[in-house]
Amino acid sequence: MAAGEYNDAGEYIAHHLVNLTYGRLQEGAERCYGGGVVETTHWTFAGCAAEAEAMGFMAFHVDSLVWAVGLGLITMGLLFTAARKASPVAPGRFQCFIEMIVDFVGNTTKEVFHGRVQPIAPIALTIFTWVFMMNLMKLVPVDLIPYPLELMGVEYQKMAPTTDPNVTLGMAFFVLLMVIYYSIKVKGWGFLKELSFTPFNTWVLIPVNLLLEIIGLLSKPISLGLRLFGNMFAGEVIFLLIAALFGAGLFFLPLAAGLQVLWAIFHILVIVLQAFIFMVLTIVYLSMAHEDH
Amino acid sequence: MNFNLTFIGQMIAFAVFVWFCIKFVWPPLMNAIEERQKTITEGLAAADRAGRDLELAQEKATKTLREARKEAAGIIESANKRGAQIIDEAKESARAEAERIKVAAHAEIDQDVERAREKLRSQVAVLALAGAEKVLESSVDANTHKAMIDKLAANL
C-alpha cells in the first residue's frame, strides 16, 4: 500500500494500529495482497497485519522495542546525569527537577512500604519515569514521525510502546517475577506455605488453596499490564479518530483541531496518572511480598 | 497487536533498566539529597543558635553598660563627697591655724608690753633719783630714800 492512501477512516485507523513486526514467517503462510504462499520458513518484516498475525509468537514488534529501549535509555541517561552530578551543594534546575521526582517516588514508597526502601524505590522510579516517557509519545501527533517513515519505506510505526500489550504485560510480568523473588527471599518456605494454606488452613484443601493463590498471584500482573495497555490503547484510538477527522474535509478542520487540543490536554493527566498507578501498584505488590500475613 | 517475543524483549529491557537504576541512579541521588537535607537542617540550627547568642550578647552588653553607668555615678558621688570633705577639713584647719597664730601674736604682744614695762620700771628709779639729786643737790642720801623710790617704782 502506498503511503497515505486509505479507502476510509476504518482502514486508516486499522493501519495505524499495526506494529512494525519482524518475525519468522512459516512455510505455507499466505502472503499479503494475493502474493501467494511462503515457500520456505524465513525471518522477515511483516508486510501487512495478516502476515504479522501469521508469524505468531516468534516475532518482534521492532517499533515497540526500539521506542521502549530508546526512551528507557534517554530516561536512564537523564537520571544518571543527575546522579553523577549529585552533590550536597545547591543544585541546579535540572538537578532539582530530577531530585523532585526521585523524592516524590521515595516518599510514595515510604507511605506504602514500611521497610528499607532501597530495592523497591528505585524499581518504582524506573517504572514511573520510563512508563511516563513511553506514554508521553502519545502526545506526539499520530502521523508526525510514522508518515515520513512510511515515505521512506517503513510501512508500520507505532510510537507509544505502552499501546502494545506485549510491552505493558512484559513489564507487569517482570514485576511478578520480582514479587516471587522477594517473596522467596523474605519468607523462604513460608511463601510456599502461604500459597498452600490460605485461604483454607487445612491439609485437605491444599490443591484448592494453590489454585486460588496462583490465580490471585497471576491476576495481579495481568490486571496491571492490561490496565495500562487499555488506557493507552483507547486514548490512541481516539487520537487516530481525531486524526482521521482532519482528513474528512475543510469543514471538520476546526472541530478536529479543537478536539485534538482537548484530548491532548486531558491526556497529559492520563499519562501521568497511569504511570503513577503502575508505579504505586508495583510498590504495593512488592511490599506485600515483603510482609508476612 | 499479537502476543509475541516483544513480551520477552520488554522484560529483559525492564530488568536491565531496573538493575541500572538500583545500582547507579538511586544511591548517589539519595545520598546527595539526604546529605543536603542534613546540611540545611544544621545550617538552620546554627542560624537559630547564632540568633540566640546575639540576643544573649546584647542582653549582656546592656547589663554591663547599665552597671558601668551605675558605678560611674557612684564614683562621681563619692568623689564629690570627698571633695566637700577635703574643703571642710581645709577650712577647719585654716581656722585653727589662724586662731593659733592670733593667740601666739597676742602672747608675744603681751610679753613685749611686759618687757617694756619692766625696762621702764627699772629705769624709773634711776631717773627719779637722778632728777631728785639734781633738785636737792646731793642732799639726799641714796640709801635712805632708795626704799621710798622703789615703792614708787613698784606702783608704776
Side-chain angles (χ1 to χ4, degrees):
Chain A
M1 194 194 295
E5 284 176 22
Y6 306 103
N7 294 326
D8 54 29
E11 203 174 296
Y12 170 79
I13 291 168
H15 178 268
H16 278 71
L17 291 177
V18 176
N19 286 98
L20 179 65
T21 314
Y22 181 79
R24 190 178 64 186
L25 210 49
Q26 291 279 8
E27 192 182 334
E30 293 261 352
R31 298 235 60 160
C32 299
Y33 317 121
V37 294
V38 178
E39 282 162 15
T40 50
T41 301
H42 65 294
W43 287 78
T44 181
F45 280 103
C48 61
E51 269 184 18
E53 207 165 313
M55 286 170 178
F57 190 72
M58 297 306 284
F60 291 102
H61 289 160
V62 178
D63 49 358
S64 291
L65 283 175
V66 168
W67 283 104
V69 172
L71 290 166
L73 287 176
I74 291 171
T75 311
M76 286 299 136
L78 289 174
L79 290 175
F80 187 58
T81 313
R84 271 189 44 184
K85 279 195 282 184
S87 68
V89 298
R93 276 182 205 157
F94 169 71
Q95 191 76 19
C96 264
F97 175 68
I98 298 289
E99 282 177 12
M100 222 168 70
I101 297 169
V102 170
D103 208 40
F104 165 71
V105 172
N107 286 337
T108 312
T109 310
K110 269 178 218 147
E111 273 167 29
V112 177
F113 179 58
H114 304 290
R116 219 168 65 91
V117 295
Q118 176 49 250
I120 293 181
I123 292 167
L125 178 67
T126 312
I127 287 171
F128 183 62
T129 51
W130 193 23
V131 170
F132 171 75
M133 289 292 271
M134 291 195 283
N135 290 351
L136 192 65
M137 287 302 112
K138 286 187 58 198
L139 294 180
V140 178
V142 287
D143 270 323
L144 187 67
I145 290 173
Y147 187 69
L149 279 174
E150 205 172 333
L151 288 178
M152 283 187 277
V154 181
E155 182 78 358
Y156 299 103
Q157 189 68 221
K158 271 174 77 182
M159 283 180 67
T162 39
T163 57
D164 182 347
N166 290 294
V167 168
T168 59
L169 285 172
M171 293 182 78
F173 273 88
F174 185 70
V175 171
L176 174 71
L177 289 185
M178 288 193 289
V179 166
I180 293 170
Y181 169 74
Y182 282 116
S183 293
I184 292 170
K185 192 181 162 192
V186 173
K187 299 169 193 164
W189 288 106
F191 179 52
L192 210 61
K193 211 175 140 195
E194 192 183 301
L195 289 183
S196 309
F197 289 98
T198 45
F200 307 112
N201 194 7
T202 61
W203 284 95
V204 190
L205 288 172
I206 282 179
V208 180
N209 287 336
L210 272 178
L211 185 72
L212 284 174
E213 282 294 296
I214 286 168
I215 289 172
L217 206 61
L218 284 174
S219 68
K220 286 174 191 169
I222 290 173
S223 67
L224 188 63
L226 288 182
R227 177 183 301 108
L228 180 60
F229 161 69
N231 275 286
M232 293 301 113
F233 184 74
E236 183 75 1
V237 170
I238 303 283
F239 271 121
L240 287 170
L241 276 170
I242 293 168
L245 194 60
F246 274 107
L250 215 57
F251 178 71
F252 289 104
L253 208 69
L255 178 66
L259 282 174
Q260 170 82 25
V261 168
L262 272 179
W263 190 242
I265 290 172
F266 175 63
H267 241 69
I268 292 173
L269 184 70
V270 172
I271 59 177
V272 179
L273 191 67
Q274 287 304 321
F276 179 70
I277 289 172
F278 202 103
M279 176 189 82
V280 169
L281 285 174
T282 305
I283 296 171
V284 169
Y285 295 154
L286 285 175
S287 58
M288 275 161 74
H290 278 79
E291 280 156 13
D292 277 314
H293 288 283
Chain B
M1 275 217 312
N2 308 299
F3 186 68
N4 55 30
L5 285 172
T6 313
F7 175 77
I8 310 286
Q10 179 70 11
M11 274 175 111
I12 294 165
F14 189 30
V16 171
F17 287 141
V18 162
W19 168 81
F20 183 82
C21 195
I22 292 176
K23 197 94 180 157
F24 298 111
V25 172
W26 190 263
L29 274 175
M30 241 18 205
N31 281 345
I33 290 174
E34 270 160 20
E35 216 165 302
R36 191 177 314 131
Q37 268 173 349
K38 220 168 71 191
T39 313
I40 291 172
T41 316
E42 276 167 8
L44 286 177
D48 232 34
R49 224 170 20 246
R52 255 201 318 278
D53 283 356
L54 180 67
E55 219 167 87
L56 277 178
Q58 266 169 352
E59 223 165 80
K60 205 171 156 194
T62 318
K63 213 168 113 190
T64 313
L65 204 65
R66 207 168 41 233
E67 266 168 21
R69 209 170 275 153
K70 216 159 88 186
E71 208 172 312
I75 288 169
I76 288 169
E77 201 182 325
S78 72
N80 279 341
K81 217 185 270 172
R82 181 93 187 97
Q85 202 181 342
I86 288 169
I87 289 168
D88 280 354
E89 274 172 15
K91 263 184 197 160
E92 195 56 45
S93 73
R95 196 178 295 128
E97 182 72 12
E99 196 65 35
R100 202 173 49 78
I101 289 170
K102 213 165 84 186
V103 168
H106 274 302
E108 207 171 321
I109 288 164
D110 283 352
Q111 243 170 25
D112 280 353
V113 167
E114 197 61 36
R115 211 176 296 129
R117 200 174 277 163
E118 204 63 46
K119 216 169 173 183
L120 194 61
R121 203 176 281 147
S122 69
Q123 284 174 0
V124 160
V126 179
L127 283 173
L129 273 181
E133 256 172 34
K134 286 268 168 57
V135 172
L136 302 174
E137 299 275 340
S138 60
S139 65
V140 178
D141 181 18
N143 295 325
T144 320
H145 300 289
K146 195 176 183 296
M148 194 182 65
I149 297 301
D150 281 347
K151 216 158 118 191
L152 179 76
N155 284 338
L156 279 173

